[in-house]
Every structure is written in structure tokens, then in C-alpha cells.
């Protein structure tokens, strides 16, 4: 009887361990239920009011389960929401509001994700001087905080500025440097960085690179 009880306990521990593992089987390594809702929220970021409401719900769900990473994701995506609403003023205000929370967390990548949205918007709007000035601060802060993702993004955006000026020869090594750092970050989408390199090589007609 005692042997059966011990076996039962062992099976339960093994089951719970496997359940815990499968519960984080997604890109962000967060609870699968939260991840499913996160995907829904991301798909609705362009929808006025609904997108923001879903992010509020995501944050509430994450807070209820003490999931700090998902809380940071929900906060970071608020900047994306206002960006999609073409409301740069609110995007900047929201970033300033959530920045202290993100910086005080272990997941500073989402601080740089949110900040990067603002800088990229300036680049695509042709505000290159403003983008370059802010990008210097972005990169310096990423170095100070030793945030690999932040460094990858800083070089990627520097490359974007060169690319937008048709200076592909300068953009290419910056994109390569971005990939170098991105390879060490679980939050970086390598395919995106490689597409940047591919576009440069196409412009330069460097087919072997």
C-alpha cells in the first residue's frame, strides 16, 4: 500500500511538471492561456477602443496570476496601439507613463520595444535628425543596462536611417551588427533583421551576401 501511494505521488509530480512545461510552449514563454489572449489583443491593436480595452484586460489577467512578463508586454503594446491610431502625442505620453514600470522590471526588452516604436515612427516620417538624436540616447541606455535586444534594435534603426537615405553601403554593416546582437536575444525576430540585410544586398546587387 505504501509503495502504491509513493508511486501515485511520483506520477502526480511528473504530471504537474509536464503541465507546467507545456503551459509555456510559446514564443514569449508565458502561460499559454495568456499567450492566446495576447495574440488576440495584438490582432486588434488597430481597432479603436477595442485594442486598448483588450490590453487592459490582458494586464489584469497577468496581474491576477502574478505574471510580470505579460504585464510588461501589455504595457509595451499600449504604445503600439496609439501608434496605430496615428496619435503620436498619446504614444509618447503613454511611453513616459509606463517607462518606470518597465525599467524596474527584469524585462527591460519591452522598454526598448516601446521606445523603438517612437523612434521608428520618426524615421519613417522623415524626422531623421530627431530620430538620430533620440537613437543615441537609446543606444547609450541599452549599453548601460546591458540589454542585448536594445543594442540590436539600436543598430537596426541606425541602418534604417542610412537605408532611407539610400546609403546602402553604410546600412548593410549596421544591419549585420544588429544581427550579431539579435542572435543572443530571445526577444528578437531574426527573420526581420535578415530581411533588412536582404533588402540592402538587393539594392547593392550583392547576391552572394
Amino acid at each position: 500500500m505504501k509503495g502504491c501511494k509513493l508511486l501515485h505521488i511520483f506520477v502526480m509530480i511528473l504530471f504537474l511538471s509536464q503541465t507546467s512545461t507545456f503551459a509555456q510552449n510559446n514564443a514569449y514563454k508565458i502561460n499559454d492561456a495568456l499567450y492566446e489572449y495576447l495574440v488576440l489583443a495584438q490582432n486588434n491593436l488597430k481597432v479603436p477602443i477595442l485594442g486598448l480595452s483588450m490590453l487592459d484586460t490582458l494586464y489584469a489577467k497577468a496581474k491576477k496570476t502574478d505574471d510580470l512578463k505579460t504585464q510588461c508586454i501589455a504595457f509595451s503594446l499600449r504604445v503600439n496601439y496609439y501608434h496605430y491610431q496615428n496619435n503620436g502625442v498619446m504614444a509618447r505620453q503613454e511611453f513616459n507613463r509606463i517607462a518606470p514600470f518597465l525599467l524596474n522590471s527584469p524585462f527591460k526588452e519591452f522598454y526598448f520595444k516601446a521606445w523603438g516604436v517612437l523612434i521608428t515612427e520618426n524615421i519613417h516620417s522623415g524626422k531623421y535628425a530627431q530620430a538620430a538624436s533620440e537613437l543615441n540616447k537609446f543606444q547609450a541606455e541599452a549599453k548601460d543596462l546591458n540589454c542585448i535586444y536594445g543594442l540590436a534594435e539600436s543598430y537596426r534603426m541606425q541602418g534604417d536611417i542610412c537605408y532611407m537615405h539610400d546609403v546602402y553601403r553604410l546600412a548593410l554593416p549596421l544591419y549585420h551588427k544588429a544581427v550579431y546582437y539579435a542572435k543572443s536575444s530571445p526577444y528578437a525576430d531574426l527573420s526581420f533583421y535578415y530581411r533588412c540585410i536582404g533588402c540592402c544586398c538587393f539594392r547593392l546587387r550583392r547576391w552572394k551576401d
Side-chain angles (χ1 to χ4, degrees), residues 37-49:
Y37 192 83
L38 165 61
V39 173
L40 286 174
Q42 286 179 311
N43 290 339
N44 285 282
L45 285 178
K46 294 182 180 180
V47 182
I49 302 176

Side-chain angles (χ1 to χ4, degrees), residues 184-200:
S184 301
S185 173
Y187 299 100
D189 179 2
L190 279 175
S191 63
F192 173 68
Y193 294 92
Y194 280 120
R195 282 198 299 272
C196 293
I197 290 176
C199 288
C200 261

Side-chain angles (χ1 to χ4, degrees), residues 109 112-113 116 120 138 147-160 163 171-201 209:
E109 292 84 0
F112 289 103
K113 276 182 179 287
T120 297
F138 181 104
C147 181
I148 301 300
Y149 173 82
L151 287 171
E153 278 293 273
S154 71
Y155 288 113
R156 192 269 302 171
M157 288 186 283
Q158 285 178 342
D160 285 352
Y163 189 94
L172 186 57
L174 289 168
Y175 286 144
H176 275 295
K177 202 161 188 178
V179 167
Y180 170 79
Y181 285 104
K183 286 180 177 179
S184 301
S185 173
Y187 299 100
D189 179 2
L190 279 175
S191 63
F192 173 68
Y193 294 92
Y194 280 120
R195 282 198 299 272
C196 293
I197 290 176
C199 288
C200 261
C201 290
D209 288 5

Side-chain angles (χ1 to χ4, degrees), residues 41 52 55 75 104-105 126 174 177 183-184:
L52 192 61
L55 290 179
F75 267 2
N104 286 326
S105 79
L174 289 168
K177 202 161 188 178
K183 286 180 177 179
S184 301

Side-chain angles (χ1 to χ4, degrees), residues 65-79:
T65 57
D66 292 323
D67 190 324
L68 182 57
K69 184 190 290 188
T70 305
Q71 291 177 52
C72 290
I73 295 171
F75 267 2
S76 176
L77 286 174
R78 293 176 71 88
V79 177

Side-chain angles (χ1 to χ4, degrees), residues 59-164:
Y59 176 81
K61 288 175 177 287
K63 190 173 183 180
K64 187 175 181 180
T65 57
D66 292 323
D67 190 324
L68 182 57
K69 184 190 290 188
T70 305
Q71 291 177 52
C72 290
I73 295 171
F75 267 2
S76 176
L77 286 174
R78 293 176 71 88
V79 177
N80 296 71
Y81 168 79
Y82 286 113
H83 163 71
Y84 286 132
Q85 306 309 313
N86 296 314
N87 193 334
V89 173
M90 279 303 299
R92 178 72 62 174
Q93 288 181 3
E94 193 64 19
F95 172 71
N96 291 335
R97 185 182 74 85
I98 65 177
F101 180 91
L102 298 176
L103 282 173
N104 286 326
S105 79
F107 308 107
K108 295 177 177 58
E109 292 84 0
F110 299 104
Y111 166 75
F112 289 103
K113 276 182 179 287
W115 194 358
V117 171
L118 303 178
I119 298 175
T120 297
E121 172 60 26
N122 283 335
I123 294 173
H124 291 168
S125 299
K127 301 175 182 177
Y128 300 119
Q130 185 176 339
S133 175
E134 192 165 7
L135 191 47
N136 288 334
K137 299 175 184 177
F138 181 104
Q139 189 174 76
E141 198 161 342
K143 288 179 179 178
D144 288 342
L145 295 172
N146 193 30
C147 181
I148 301 300
Y149 173 82
L151 287 171
E153 278 293 273
S154 71
Y155 288 113
R156 192 269 302 171
M157 288 186 283
Q158 285 178 342
D160 285 352
I161 292 176
C162 294
Y163 189 94
M164 295 291 283

